[in-house]
Amino acid sequence: MTNETDNAPLEKLRDKIFLIGFMGVGKTYWGKIWAKQLNLDFFDLDEMIETEQGRSIASIFENEGEAYFRNLETAALQNFGEKKNFLVACGGGAACFNDNIRWMNKNGTSVYLSASPPFILSRVLKEKIKRPLIGKLNDTELLVYIEQKLTEREPFYKQAKHLLTADHLDTYSLSKL
Ligand code: S3P
């Protein structure tokens, strides 16, 4: 899971954590717990974009399209170049566009929260409305979509420096890495 070539030394970057992974895996839920436990400031990248833009992610997708959102996301991410002492929960696609995973690995520690498609399905079913990429799919289509997207995105997610599996987590999972 490690890619040493363009990574700054790990120990120095422990206070700059990028939590990545598919939607619904629990990045925000666990991110808040781990940030508190490690005494880091917690941020949610999607929330930052919504606050800055004064509208929801769904509205940005609907009105401006995905490519526009991805550029906002990259710009929001790069705000963390100057920050320290943070854990940021990134949107599900953040690691997979604009070479962002490489940027994260140069500027901090990336952690991939991985989960199986059925686990993800059970988590996103309740919150479809907030997620523009899946809002219009029925349950069967949704499982197929998750399987396909996960396969497409894993080459990016797997460039993370650390891996945690979403169904075996506790308060100390991150500090034990
Ligand atoms: C997206 C995931 C969402 C949000 C946007 C796009 C994706 O974040 O950034 O809807 O491409 O997977 P969550 O992973 O927090 O749901």
Side-chain angles (χ1 to χ4, degrees):
M1 242 6 248
T2 45
N3 172 7
E4 303 294 345
T5 43
D6 23 67
N7 296 342
L10 239 182
E11 315 74 58
K12 280 195 191 161
L13 300 173
R14 285 263 177 191
D15 57 353
K16 295 163 79 76
I17 298 176
F18 299 98
L19 196 54
I20 65 167
F22 209 82
M23 55 184 114
V25 296
K27 293 166 297 207
T28 302
Y29 176 82
W30 286 108
K32 282 183 183 164
I33 292 172
W34 294 331
K36 193 166 175 205
Q37 199 255 328
L38 291 167
N39 230 353
L40 302 171
D41 297 326
F42 174 79
F43 296 90
D44 180 299
L45 200 63
D46 283 340
E47 244 177 62
M48 290 172 73
I49 297 167
E50 289 183 331
T51 304
E52 200 241 340
Q53 293 289 309
R55 54 192 168 143
S56 67
I57 302 289
S59 150
I60 300 170
F61 262 76
E62 200 177 316
N63 295 299
E64 257 74 42
E66 181 170 356
Y68 184 88
F69 170 75
R70 295 301 170 196
N71 290 337
L72 292 178
E73 188 175 47
T74 299
L77 181 67
Q78 294 192 355
N79 283 325
F80 289 92
E82 301 306 316
K83 284 196 174 72
K84 262 189 168 178
N85 213 55
F86 65 81
L87 182 154
V88 55
C90 301
C96 314
F97 292 85
N98 298 339
D99 227 2
N100 289 341
I101 183 65
R102 197 172 150 102
W103 188 91
M104 291 178 201
N105 285 337
K106 272 191 179 157
N107 288 276
T109 305
S110 55
V111 179
Y112 171 33
L113 206 50
S114 93
S116 67
F119 178 99
I120 295 171
L121 179 69
S122 70
R123 299 300 156 107
V124 296
L125 272 177
K126 292 167 234 146
E127 294 196 321
K128 273 204 301 194
I129 215 83
K130 284 200 287 186
R131 295 182 163 103
L133 291 172
I134 58 170
K136 296 192 176 80
L137 305 178
N138 68 36
D139 296 4
T140 318
E141 290 167 336
L142 188 50
L143 184 60
V144 173
Y145 174 87
I146 292 167
E147 285 166 347
Q148 285 172 349
K149 267 282 182 250
L150 201 54
T151 305
E152 191 183 304
R153 290 182 170 182
E154 277 212 312
F156 297 96
Y157 292 151
K158 287 185 167 169
Q159 292 176 50
K161 291 183 192 171
H162 298 280
L163 167 73
L164 287 174
T165 307
D167 43 8
H168 298 104
L169 300 173
D170 62 42
T171 309
Y172 303 99
S173 299
L174 198 60
S175 51
K176 284 185 279 191
L177 284 175

